[in-house]
């Protein structure tokens, strides 16, 4: 593709990063199912290991199929570079790894995927890192939570499970003032609906397991770097600004400029943490991304129809979909996500916990699974599953209380989805 024309999203989701295979002419990106790559000679090998020449060494670090996906996602997000990894959770750790030292903390939203709350409240403690959780609707609280050891702010653009919207620009301004990066999990929005970098985010993380792949076939993750953060401005990010002892003293920011974070993530992060995406997974995700915009349009249209219907049902207490005028996030959704508020929301049933369990058990088209962002409509009772490790207070703050069911609307016929919900709600309230 020529560099002169600004291609549209639909074109880029099919072409960005890919070109016909130079060896065979294969039009689709081949699955390079190889562990290692033959060096031309010893000098070539040394240049690759010194990062003086870019190329392929070993598939824990880089792989040609994965590289196409990295370029595709970076392009769709408007970033300078990206690194793919084995899952969304891996991407979160990879996003923090170059920024953090023991004793450092992050400030994160209370409204996050339950697994992320556990990762940040428990698991990262073992690295000597910690997390302060704050309601991101309260911007003063976000500001107040930042201290000298804070190295990043973390939130979800459209938060799981409720589909609530984060004011990315407002939090980005706080991050800028504190000279720390804002990391946005853009899994539920996808770059088709929201491009967080345009709203001031430094890094964007994805669980590619969800909408980007789109049909529940593989797990994967990705970290996109905007390339705009000055890692050398404060001395807070020595892994990037100073001589990196883990890579024979290389200064990543000085050497790679706006690709410092991406190069560090590959050369040190993937090399030593090994959270690598495999080429088969990259292939499935590349296939999925080709139809991202078409699927997201249908997810949004179906979610608007189904959420609007559910809200009026007598068994329903409330629906959290930001695409509904009744949502307190509706105006923000229209501003930051004008193409729609995504396909994810929760429904609270008047019958409480017991009604939720009966409702989930009686659905027929909707699958009861711990996943979202599939072409199929999915449902889960978060409090007894994905948010089970959380305390009742954390569940309430995350919008995953016992009377709440999470719905991920698929791309089936909306009439069929409503008929299925209707029969299950009737049985749940019997
Ligand atoms: C918003 C969000 N971020 C991250 C993750 C973790 O992704 P993965 O399951 O690919 O590790 C999930 C998983 O459900 C998620 O919903």
């Amino acid at each position: 593709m020529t560099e002169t024309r600004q291609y549209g999203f639909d074109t880029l989701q099919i072409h960005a990063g890919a070109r016909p295979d130079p060896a065979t002419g294969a039009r689709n990106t081949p699955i390079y199912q190889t562990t290692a790559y033959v060096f031309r000679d010893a000098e070539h090998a040394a240049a690759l290991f010194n990062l003086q020449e870019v190329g392929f060494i070993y598939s824990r670090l880089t792989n040609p199929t994965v590289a196409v996906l990295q370029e595709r996602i970076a392009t769709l997000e408007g970033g300078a570079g990206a690194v793919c990894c084995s899952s969304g959770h891996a991407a979160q750790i990879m996003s923090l790894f170059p920024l953090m030292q023991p004793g450092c903390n992050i400030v994160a939203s209370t409204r996050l995927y339950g697994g992320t709350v556990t990762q940040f409240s428990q698991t990262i403690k073992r690295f000597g890192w910690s997390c302060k959780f704050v309601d991101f609707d309260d911007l003063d609280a976000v500001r107040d939570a930042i201290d000298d050891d804070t190295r990043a702010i973390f939130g979800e653009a459209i938060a799981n499970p409720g589909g609530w919207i984060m004011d990315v620009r407002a939090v980005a301004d706080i991050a800028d003032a504190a000279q720390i990066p804002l990391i946005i999990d853009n899994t539920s929005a996808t770059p088709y609906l929201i491009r967080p970098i345009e709203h001031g985010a430094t890094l964007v993380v994805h669980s590619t397991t969800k909408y980007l792949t789109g049909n529940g076939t593989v797990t994967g993750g990705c970290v996109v770097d905007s390339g705009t953060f000055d890692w050398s401005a404060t001395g807070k990010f020595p892994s990037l600004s100073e001589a990196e002892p883990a890579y024979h003293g290389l200064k990543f920011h000085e050497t790679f400029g706006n690709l410092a974070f991406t190069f560090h993530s590959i050369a040190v992060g993937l090399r030593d943490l090994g959270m690598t995406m495999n080429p088969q997974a990259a292939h499935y995700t590349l296939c999925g991304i080709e139809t991202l915009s078409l699927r997201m349009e249908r997810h949004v249209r179906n979610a608007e129809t189904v959420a609007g219907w559910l809200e009026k049902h007598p068994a329903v207490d409330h629906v959290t979909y930001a695409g509904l005028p009744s949502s307190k996030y509706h105006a923000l959704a229209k501003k930051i996500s004008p193409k729609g508020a995504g396909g994810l929301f929760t429904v609270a049933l008047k019958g409480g916990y017991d009604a939720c369990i009966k409702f989930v058990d009686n659905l027929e088209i909707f699958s009861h699974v711990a996943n979202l962002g599939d072409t199929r409509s999915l449902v889960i009772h978060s409090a007894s599953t994905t948010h089970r490790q959380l305390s009742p207070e954390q569940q309430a703050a995350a919008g995953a209380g016992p009377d709440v069911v999470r719905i991920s609307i698929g791309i089936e016929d909306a009439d069929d989805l409503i008929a299925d919900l209707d029969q299950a709600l009737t049985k749940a309230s019997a």
Side-chain angles (χ1 to χ4, degrees):
M1 293 170 73
T2 58
E3 297 298 322
T4 44
R5 192 180 153 80
Q6 285 284 342
Y7 289 103
F9 192 95
D10 292 355
T11 305
L12 292 171
Q13 72 185 358
I14 295 169
H15 292 286
R19 48 200 68 83
D21 180 47
T24 62
R27 189 61 193 87
N28 210 337
T29 301
I31 304 171
Y32 287 90
Q33 196 66 53
T34 183
T35 307
Y37 308 82
V38 178
F39 305 122
R40 286 194 303 272
D41 51 33
E43 202 182 324
H44 178 221
L48 289 174
F49 275 92
N50 272 344
L51 300 181
Q52 287 159 330
E53 192 176 326
V54 175
F56 299 102
I57 300 175
Y58 185 66
S59 284
R60 172 155 36 84
L61 309 172
T62 44
N63 171 281
T65 315
V66 178
V68 172
L69 179 61
Q70 287 170 167
E71 195 175 330
R72 175 103 27 110
I73 299 176
T75 304
L76 294 179
E77 286 287 5
V83 56
C84 282
C85 26
S86 50
S87 69
H89 259 16
Q92 290 163 200
I93 295 297
M94 289 283 294
S95 74
L96 296 176
F97 182 65
L99 317 180
M100 304 289 278
Q101 308 283 335
C104 291
N105 68 69
I106 59 171
V107 171
S109 169
T110 44
R111 283 181 288 275
L112 297 176
Y113 162 56
T116 305
V117 175
T118 307
Q119 188 184 53
F120 288 173
S121 62
Q122 303 301 327
T123 305
I124 64 170
K125 281 200 258 182
R126 297 173 186 218
F127 307 146
W129 311 343
S130 60
C131 177
K132 301 183 209 180
F133 290 95
V134 178
D135 179 350
F136 273 24
D137 289 346
D138 182 350
L139 296 176
D140 287 334
V142 178
R143 224 173 268 114
D144 291 347
I146 297 169
D147 63 31
D148 289 346
D149 295 321
T150 305
R151 292 293 178 270
I153 304 181
F154 188 101
E156 293 178 9
I158 297 183
N160 178 3
W164 306 282
I165 311 289
M166 171 181 163
D167 192 341
V168 178
R169 170 56 64 189
V171 180
D173 288 345
I174 295 173
D176 283 350
Q179 295 184 289
I180 53 174
L182 171 64
I183 307 173
I184 292 295
D185 182 337
N186 204 29
T187 299
S188 310
T190 82
Y192 180 68
L193 295 180
I194 300 178
R195 295 188 357 136
I197 291 171
E198 288 174 359
H199 300 276
T202 300
L203 301 172
V204 177
V205 295
H206 275 282
S207 165
T208 58
T209 316
K210 317 293 180 193
Y211 292 102
L212 293 187
T213 305
N215 46 20
T217 46
V218 285
T219 59
C222 186
V223 188
V224 181
D225 178 17
S226 61
T228 56
F229 195 84
D230 183 354
W231 303 109
S232 306
T234 59
K236 285 183 178 173
F237 305 102
S239 287
L240 296 166
S241 64
E242 307 303 321
E244 169 60 276
Y247 214 92
H248 52 67
L250 189 68
K251 291 188 173 181
F252 278 84
H253 194 202
E254 189 180 288
T255 311
F256 299 111
N258 70 345
L259 285 172
F261 183 94
T262 304
F263 269 85
H264 190 282
S265 295
I266 293 168
V268 183
L270 286 183
R271 185 198 64 185
D272 294 349
L273 301 177
M275 300 165 162
T276 309
M277 178 180 278
N278 69 74
Q280 289 277 348
H283 165 73
Y284 284 113
T285 305
L286 280 167
C287 294
I289 283 187
E290 292 185 0
T291 57
L292 179 64
S293 63
L294 309 178
R295 287 183 285 108
M296 292 314 291
E297 276 168 16
R298 178 62 81 87
H299 282 297
V300 165
R301 188 149 36 99
N302 278 358
E304 286 171 353
T305 307
V306 171
W309 178 84
L310 273 171
E311 191 175 44
K312 295 192 197 91
H313 195 281
V316 169
D317 186 62
H318 65 269
V319 177
T320 58
Y321 189 53
L324 293 174
S326 58
S327 165
K328 77 168 183 167
Y329 297 100
H330 189 62
L332 187 56
K334 284 223 164 298
K335 192 169 105 187
I336 186 174
S337 192
K339 292 203 276 281
L344 188 70
F345 57 86
T346 58
V347 53
L349 299 189
K350 287 180 185 156
Y353 181 92
D354 291 341
C356 288
I357 298 295
K358 275 194 214 155
F359 173 57
V360 166
D361 279 347
N362 280 292
L363 284 163
E364 287 165 11
I365 297 176
F366 284 76
S367 306
H368 183 196
V369 297
N371 195 18
L372 60 90
D374 198 321
T375 49
R376 294 155 196 81
S377 288
L378 311 175
V379 70
I380 197 158
H381 182 243
S382 303
S384 58
T385 55
T386 52
H387 289 63
R388 191 183 184 86
Q389 319 298 336
L390 276 56
S391 65
E393 295 74 32
Q394 285 176 315
Q395 285 178 355
D403 60 336
V404 158
V405 171
R406 182 186 78 189
I407 294 186
S408 170
I409 291 291
I411 61 173
E412 304 98 330
D413 287 296
D415 288 350
D416 292 335
L417 298 180
I418 287 175
D420 192 25
L421 292 165
D422 198 21
Q423 63 79 23
L425 280 172
T426 304
K427 288 178 187 149
S429 24

